[in-house]
Amino acid sequence: MNLEVVHVSRGAIQLKSGDRHVRVLGEALIASAPTEPSYVIYLNSLNEWKIPPEVALNETEKQDIVSAIRKHFQDSGLIVEFE
């Protein structure tokens, strides 16, 4: 699955893969040091696709989403934390 982060706001991250879209809740943080996280992701919000609606995410899809988010932040030189 080729997931792409398409939007990061202070309360959510949106990703897409083809015609599928998912929204993951989180929170932007003000890091006081380069070693501190700048965003926290709430893993309990990884439940279903936004498009198509009400289609549950399987474990592989959830791991792919986490990997895509981690890569997005690493490529930006930022730290992301998952709770």
Side-chain angles (χ1 to χ4, degrees):
M1 175 179 307
N2 187 19
L3 279 157
E4 172 189 1
V5 173
V6 294
H7 184 71
V8 178
S9 70
R10 62 184 174 167
I13 296 178
Q14 294 179 19
L15 301 95
K16 73 173 188 171
S17 176
D19 61 348
R20 293 178 157 229
H21 295 255
V22 66
R23 181 173 178 246
V24 183
L25 299 180
E27 188 174 346
L29 306 171
I30 299 173
S32 60
T35 57
E36 292 185 0
S38 57
Y39 209 95
V40 62
I41 300 294
Y42 302 126
L43 292 173
N44 63 350
S45 70
L46 279 171
N47 297 315
E48 59 188 31
W49 291 98
K50 184 175 178 183
I51 300 173
E54 300 181 24
V55 174
L57 291 163
N58 64 41
E59 287 305 313
T60 301
E61 292 168 333
K62 290 178 183 182
Q63 288 303 316
D64 290 346
I65 290 166
V66 167
S67 294
I69 292 170
R70 184 172 279 124
K71 181 180 180 336
H72 174 81
F73 279 88
Q74 284 176 344
D75 289 350
S76 300
L78 301 170
I79 298 172
V80 63
E81 188 172 279
F82 296 88
E83 290 185 356

